[in-house]
Amino acid sequence: MKRYSLFLAFSLCFLFSRAQVIKKVPISNSGCSVYTYCVFQFEKEYSEDSSLVYVSECVKDGVSYGVICVKLLQPADDLNRAEESLVNYLDYLRTSFKIIKSAGYGRGHRLNNNENTRGVLDYWEDNDKNKWKIKAWTEGKFIGVLYAYSAIELNETRVNVFLESFRFPGM
């Protein structure tokens, strides 16, 4: 019995040490937050139109996770227009990240089934052969872009939890 208890204790310790802990972290003082597997250190920048941009990236188990949160200087009241701005921003990022292949934007996503949000999904490949999965969100006042990329196969379950974890202020 003693041996069985010791084996069970070691097994449980091993299982829990391998579990992925995900933590909710604020995106600086934006009011937005994200659930993440690793530590983000957000830098604050300004876009060409003077919108406030928070950026960070971290690496966990060979996968790079990134967050870009933009507080729009000129919010969009119309969600269709907001979604178009989101797509335009993703086009800009594709160039910045040197993306050479794209599956094409998948539209129609809603963050937590909230009809006041719009989301866009895409799969990319960069010139270093990294595979990317990105998901971008907007509610008209903010744009949140979450991405994961790696040269190794992405764990879809873990990546999806991260990509769906963006939270707008008050949501």
Side-chain angles (χ1 to χ4, degrees), residues 27 42-55 67-71 89:
I27 299 175
F42 287 95
E43 296 178 18
K44 185 166 74 171
E45 305 169 356
Y46 289 92
S47 66
E48 289 179 14
D49 74 348
S50 297
S51 292
L52 191 52
V53 181
Y54 300 93
V55 194
V67 175
I68 302 169
C69 177
V70 182
K71 183 177 182 181
Y89 191 64

Side-chain angles (χ1 to χ4, degrees), residues 40-84:
F40 283 117
Q41 300 292 330
F42 287 95
E43 296 178 18
K44 185 166 74 171
E45 305 169 356
Y46 289 92
S47 66
E48 289 179 14
D49 74 348
S50 297
S51 292
L52 191 52
V53 181
Y54 300 93
V55 194
S56 189
E57 195 170 288
C58 63
V59 178
K60 178 75 173 172
D61 298 329
V63 177
S64 296
Y65 296 90
V67 175
I68 302 169
C69 177
V70 182
K71 183 177 182 181
L72 297 169
L73 184 64
Q74 298 177 2
D77 293 331
D78 176 76
L79 285 174
N80 290 326
R81 196 176 73 166
E83 186 178 54
E84 284 307 313

Side-chain angles (χ1 to χ4, degrees), residues 100-159:
I100 58 172
K101 289 182 185 173
S102 170
Y105 297 130
R107 297 181 184 216
H109 298 270
R110 303 292 185 269
L111 186 59
N112 291 328
N113 297 316
N114 184 330
E115 284 301 317
N116 294 317
T117 63
R118 296 295 180 265
V120 176
L121 168 72
D122 204 357
Y123 293 86
W124 294 344
E125 184 178 319
D126 65 24
N127 59 359
D128 292 328
K129 302 294 184 210
N130 288 308
K131 304 291 188 222
W132 293 62
K133 185 172 184 180
I134 64 109
K135 205 155 196 184
W137 303 101
T138 189
E139 39 57 293
K141 298 178 188 91
F142 285 87
I143 288 177
V145 178
L146 280 65
Y147 59 86
Y149 68 90
S150 180
I152 63 173
E153 186 76 24
L154 293 173
N155 179 321
E156 286 285 324
T157 303
R158 277 194 353 203
V159 169

